[in-house]
Amino acid sequence: MAFASDSTSADTGRTAFRTQAAVAGLTTAEAKILQNRIDAALASDGGKQSAANEIRYPDGRLLLALPGEKYARELGKNSGTAAHSCTPGRLCGYSGVEYTGDEREWYTCAFHKKPTNWRSGGSWYNNQTRGRVANWYDINKRWMGATPPAPSGTKYGQWQGVGYAKPC
């Protein structure tokens, strides 16, 4: 019995992701830009690509904003709005101010490395169980501060200096 190689499996996944991007209305060039961003995030932070603009981790996901769009969104759903799109029960970080750009969701009570390329600016929303706080740590896991109790957020945050989030 023959088994598919990892490269065959990866090629099949890439074809499916290209199809998803086309159905979402992306041009071939935009789909390539998106895939390059996914590949860069996978190379720096690991995870597994699960959709044309999504990487899954054991502790959540990274949802990339589509080329030309301001807000991250799941494919097949309407484009985002200025309000956060953080899933209930999650702590969410955004690469841009006012909940724009890429969205990283965390939900397990552990140290979670922030996306490597988030170096300044940004925003966050604590959509965990009502009253729960999240904590921020530097790269050496020294506590930097906590969020107000959920639900809470800030449209104008700062990722510089943050190394880890701990949603509990």
Side-chain angles (χ1 to χ4, degrees):
M1 176 180 240
F3 293 95
S5 69
D6 286 343
S7 63
T8 301
S9 180
D11 291 344
T12 302
R14 292 274 174 126
T15 300
F17 300 140
R18 280 193 297 270
T19 301
Q20 286 178 348
V23 169
L26 272 64
T27 66
T28 302
E30 290 170 331
K32 185 174 181 169
I33 290 167
L34 179 61
Q35 188 60 52
N36 288 342
R37 291 182 57 223
I38 286 279
D39 290 343
L42 288 168
S44 64
D45 297 325
K48 182 175 170 113
Q49 186 173 2
S50 52
N53 69 327
E54 181 182 77
I55 297 172
R56 287 276 175 184
Y57 304 94
D59 66 338
R61 71 176 180 175
L62 175 65
L63 192 62
L64 278 67
L66 298 176
E69 293 190 9
K70 193 172 182 179
Y71 302 97
R73 66 178 171 95
E74 291 181 21
L75 295 178
K77 292 191 176 181
N78 293 333
S79 61
T81 63
H84 73 85
S85 58
C86 190
T87 303
R90 309 286 198 258
L91 169 65
C92 295
Y94 299 86
S95 61
V97 298
E98 298 182 340
Y99 314 120
T100 62
D102 302 336
E103 176 190 79
R104 178 65 163 94
E105 290 185 353
W106 300 282
Y107 59 86
T108 59
C109 185
F111 285 99
H112 305 288
K113 191 172 178 273
K114 73 157 170 89
T116 302
N117 66 341
W118 292 11
R119 294 190 175 93
S120 64
S123 49
W124 58 266
Y125 197 83
N126 179 5
N127 207 20
Q128 299 181 90
T129 304
R130 183 169 290 283
R132 181 170 274 183
V133 300
N135 292 279
W136 308 113
Y137 296 85
D138 69 13
I139 196 69
N140 297 309
K141 296 184 180 175
R142 288 186 300 243
W143 186 76
M144 297 173 65
T147 68
S152 63
T154 184
K155 292 182 178 184
Y156 302 96
Q158 180 56 260
W159 290 112
Q160 185 174 352
V162 175
Y164 294 89
K166 189 173 183 184
C168 57

